Amino acid sequence: MKATRTLPYAWYADPAVLRVEQERIFARTWQYATRAELVAEPGTMTPTWAGSLPLLVVRTRDGDLRGFVNVCRHRGHVLCEADTRRETIQCPYHAWTYTLDGTLRSAPRAEREGAFDPDALSLVPVSVEGWGPFVFVNPDSSAAPLADSLADLPRLLAEGGVDLDGLRFHSRAESDEYAANWKICAENFLECYHCAVAHPSLAKTLDVSEDVYVLEHEARLLSQYGPPREGDTVSDSVSRGQFHFLFPNTVVNVMPGRQNLSIGPIVPRDPERTYRFLDYFVGEDVDDDWLRGFLELDEQVGAEDRALVESVQRGIGSGALESGVLLPESEQLIARFQTLVLEALGE
């Protein structure tokens, strides 16, 4: 098979392309938002993002999970910027106040405005669903169920030994924004062709050789699998590493060994800046020594990946080349990702 061309490099730095991606990709797909425990009780709410669109996930008084565009219908102020618990949703700009189901309850001086219609000014709803300890959002209020997008992911995790219901939240890893386009961050995640060279510590832990490291994709789920090189396999409950990408931007990581899973979104801030975080979950079989080594390795790999994607952005942004090439076998998941991008953009 011959190598294939990448997307045009101009697409990784053009604000107009990102605007179209927001409209046709991020505004129409399911993305990881937060962990379920943050919105477990009535009145709890947490802000999140779907691409550049600010969203708010809320637990109503009746116990329903609801999602809204996190923007006041009055003058566009962001409503909530931190996890909180309240009886209402109130804008800090002019005190427009909404009930937890998004209905506009009051607006100062509204009674003086004859044409004021509060019924037409409810918060804009979005789709929100839980899956195990996770919450996902989709700006499309009439989106198909989350299960359709997850596809075989729950089964694959279970078959790999992950007990989703037995996981507990450990910590969130959040760092400065990456100086790279979101697609570069996604494409870096979608191949381990670079792992032996760029991640020597990971390659000592995980077998990343081409004969055993497996790449698969089905619809919008792109997956990688790798066995451990060594370890106490007698007590290990997770037999191999699993690294899944749910298009367009949710990553799910499982390392071989004890019960563990990390999940998080790749969020575009502007054409050459990307925000990321990972929520780490672990099981009861995780001891302090294993956890320490696991987190240290993940932090090191993350730092190495930051250097890689930021260097790629510098190269792409230089204008030296119009595009690159992909190896059809080793980089097949990137090719699939780029196909999904093209299909979404109508190209």
Side-chain angles (χ1 to χ4, degrees), residues 41-288:
E41 300 298 326
T44 51
M45 60 190 75
T46 186
T48 187
W49 295 85
S52 62
L53 184 66
L55 303 181
L56 185 63
V57 178
V58 178
R59 183 71 67 176
T60 70
R61 292 181 179 179
D62 295 332
D64 296 330
L65 194 60
R66 299 289 299 272
F68 308 101
V69 174
N70 189 17
V71 176
C72 183
R73 295 296 306 275
H74 176 214
R75 296 263 297 283
H77 197 286
V78 172
L79 293 164
C80 177
E81 304 210 48
D83 302 333
T84 188
R85 184 172 185 175
R86 292 178 52 90
E87 293 297 315
T88 60
I89 304 167
Q90 187 175 74
C91 179
Y93 197 3
H94 298 95
W96 280 37
T97 303
Y98 304 84
T99 62
L100 297 178
D101 66 4
T103 302
L104 179 62
R105 190 177 78 175
S106 64
R109 306 182 191 179
E111 69 281 359
R112 299 168 64 91
E113 309 293 336
F116 191 82
D117 181 8
D119 294 337
L121 294 170
S122 297
L123 295 180
V124 178
V126 302
S127 297
V128 57
E129 283 193 40
W131 167 45
F134 318 127
V135 175
F136 280 70
V137 292
N138 186 331
D140 182 355
S141 61
S142 59
L146 171 63
D148 292 358
S149 291
L150 294 178
D152 283 341
L153 181 55
R155 177 183 63 80
L156 293 169
L157 291 174
E159 290 180 353
V162 178
D163 177 15
L164 206 64
D165 293 332
L167 296 177
R168 58 178 174 80
F169 176 72
H170 176 268
S171 60
R172 171 172 290 191
E174 193 172 18
S175 59
D176 294 336
E177 293 175 352
Y178 290 67
N181 182 270
W182 74 276
K183 295 187 294 296
I184 293 176
C185 294
E187 291 164 4
N188 178 74
F189 177 85
L190 287 169
E191 53 93 354
C192 212
Y193 180 38
H194 71 281
C195 290
V197 175
H199 301 313
S201 295
L202 176 65
K204 290 179 181 179
T205 302
L206 201 67
D207 192 339
V208 298
S209 60
E210 62 272 22
D211 294 330
V212 299
Y213 196 81
V214 177
L215 308 178
E216 296 178 347
H217 59 83
E218 180 67 30
R220 294 188 171 196
L221 180 63
L222 292 68
S223 303
Q224 306 170 67
Y225 307 92
R229 287 196 180 275
E230 57 185 26
D232 179 13
T233 57
V234 174
S235 60
D236 284 351
S237 58
V238 179
S239 59
R240 64 174 180 170
Q242 299 188 45
F243 311 98
H244 302 282
F245 183 89
L246 186 64
F247 185 83
N249 70 334
T250 298
V251 303
V252 179
N253 306 294
V254 177
M255 284 294 286
R258 311 296 194 264
Q259 291 289 313
N260 72 97
L261 182 147
S262 61
I263 183 170
I266 299 172
V267 184
R269 288 296 194 224
D270 67 28
E272 298 184 83
R273 289 190 308 134
T274 299
Y275 166 65
R276 296 196 63 183
F277 71 82
L278 280 175
D279 283 341
Y280 287 87
F281 296 80
V282 296
E284 293 183 356
D285 65 343
V286 170
D287 58 78
D288 291 343

Side-chain angles (χ1 to χ4, degrees), residues 279-320:
D279 283 341
Y280 287 87
F281 296 80
V282 296
E284 293 183 356
D285 65 343
V286 170
D287 58 78
D288 291 343
D289 288 341
W290 189 92
L291 182 59
R292 185 181 307 109
F294 162 67
L295 292 175
E296 287 176 354
L297 175 61
D298 221 47
E299 182 178 5
Q300 180 174 346
V301 171
E304 292 162 351
D305 277 334
R306 172 185 288 275
L308 294 173
V309 299
E310 292 186 346
S311 180
V312 170
Q313 186 69 47
R314 290 193 295 272
I316 282 177
S318 70

